[in-house]
Amino acid sequence: GENVEQHPSTLSVQEGDSAVIKCTYSDSASNYFPWYKQELGKRPQLIIDIRSNVGEKKDQRIAVTLNKTAKHFSLHITETQPEDSAVYFCASFGGTYKYIFGTGTRLKVLA
Amino acid sequence: DGGITQSPKYLFRKEGQNVTLSCEQNLNHDAMYWYRQDPGQGLRLIYYSQIVNDFQKGDIAEGYSVSREKKESFPLTVTSAQKNPTAFYLCASSSGGKKGSPLHFGNGTRLTVT
């Protein structure tokens, strides 16, 4: 079946440094790739998304890149701040109308 | 997101009892989803529905049932057949269709079965 692999599972960075989280998807029919941020005990919130016909998208300190050939997509957070600390999930949406999530990355930004 | 309401926030049940989790949305979304989240783990799909009166099993449907009689409602029943029901349950919705669109989540229901 379809699956999404996400790495790393935990990531610690110093405040002000960059963080990169990578995902790989299996369904070649996938056409939409959202990223969610989840704080402890709360619901996931969409932070950025990208469609399959786009290679890169930026929103202030956050960017997502997509390599369709390799079936890879990545989240880049620059100038990290303590409030960026959370669990981040990637997901893919494709031909089966399902959103398949990665297993999450716990990001810790050290002040 | 005020558009999706899950109730209750916390639910306690005895083993062997069925329990129904409520999910209502006023976003006029066609598609609705149920996910289960266990501590330190990702989101696993239980059931999803693209349209009223139709739904499909996700990756972990065993021990669960759903209905989609109204566009705005997608209740999930956790039956006594579910071996490890204690978890955080998240309902979500999207506008649906072949092209993906943002998934909006409710605040979740934390179910504890003892």
Side-chain angles (χ1 to χ4, degrees):
Chain A
E2 313 98 319
N3 75 302
V4 174
E5 292 186 4
Q6 182 172 347
H7 299 283
S9 57
T10 60
L11 178 61
S12 293
V13 299
Q14 289 295 134
E15 183 177 358
D17 286 351
S18 296
V20 180
I21 302 170
K22 299 182 178 182
C23 290
T24 303
Y25 62 97
S26 62
D27 182 6
S28 56
S30 296
N31 58 38
Y32 175 69
F33 307 90
W35 285 88
Y36 287 84
K37 175 183 180 182
Q38 186 179 30
E39 296 178 355
L40 192 61
K42 299 200 173 176
R43 63 185 170 188
Q45 301 262 24
L46 179 73
I47 56 171
I48 196 167
D49 55 9
I50 192 168
R51 297 199 178 276
S52 57
N53 58 348
V54 175
E56 183 175 2
K57 182 177 179 181
K58 286 184 181 178
D59 182 3
Q60 300 183 337
R61 296 187 296 108
I62 294 174
V64 56
T65 58
L66 171 65
N67 181 331
K68 278 184 64 178
T69 303
K71 295 183 187 172
H72 289 169
F73 59 114
S74 299
L75 178 71
H76 304 253
I77 306 175
T78 59
E79 301 172 18
T80 53
Q81 300 166 4
E83 51 264 38
D84 293 329
S85 296
V87 179
Y88 292 81
F89 292 99
C90 62
S92 71
F93 176 90
T96 55
Y97 302 95
K98 296 190 291 188
Y99 294 82
I100 306 297
F101 283 82
T103 49
T105 296
R106 183 173 300 279
L107 173 64
K108 294 181 185 178
V109 179
L110 308 170
Chain B
D1 190 333
I4 301 181
T5 302
Q6 287 187 246
S7 60
K9 186 173 182 179
Y10 298 98
L11 191 53
F12 298 88
R13 280 294 182 269
K14 295 286 188 187
E15 217 173 276
Q17 293 179 336
N18 291 355
V19 60
T20 298
L21 282 59
S22 170
C23 178
E24 304 276 332
Q25 54 100 358
N26 61 5
L27 300 168
N28 199 32
H29 282 168
D30 286 318
M32 296 187 74
Y33 301 79
W34 274 105
Y35 288 90
R36 169 181 172 142
Q37 187 172 32
D38 294 284
Q41 297 192 30
L43 288 80
R44 292 185 291 167
L45 182 63
I46 305 172
Y47 269 98
Y48 62 111
S49 168
Q50 293 297 306
I51 198 167
V52 175
N53 292 322
D54 189 37
F55 50 82
Q56 290 77 39
K57 292 182 180 180
D59 301 317
I60 57 165
E62 187 175 347
Y64 300 97
S65 66
V66 294
S67 63
R68 187 86 189 274
E69 297 176 1
K70 297 186 296 183
K71 185 176 185 177
E72 58 270 22
S73 180
F74 192 40
L76 173 74
T77 297
V78 184
T79 75
S80 57
Q82 169 48 234
K83 303 249 184 281
N84 297 298
T86 295
F88 187 49
Y89 291 87
L90 285 160
C91 178
S93 71
S94 73
S95 53
K98 291 183 180 180
K99 291 186 179 180
S101 56
L103 202 56
H104 297 255
F105 285 91
N107 284 325
T109 292
R110 192 167 298 279
L111 173 65
T112 302
V113 177
T114 57

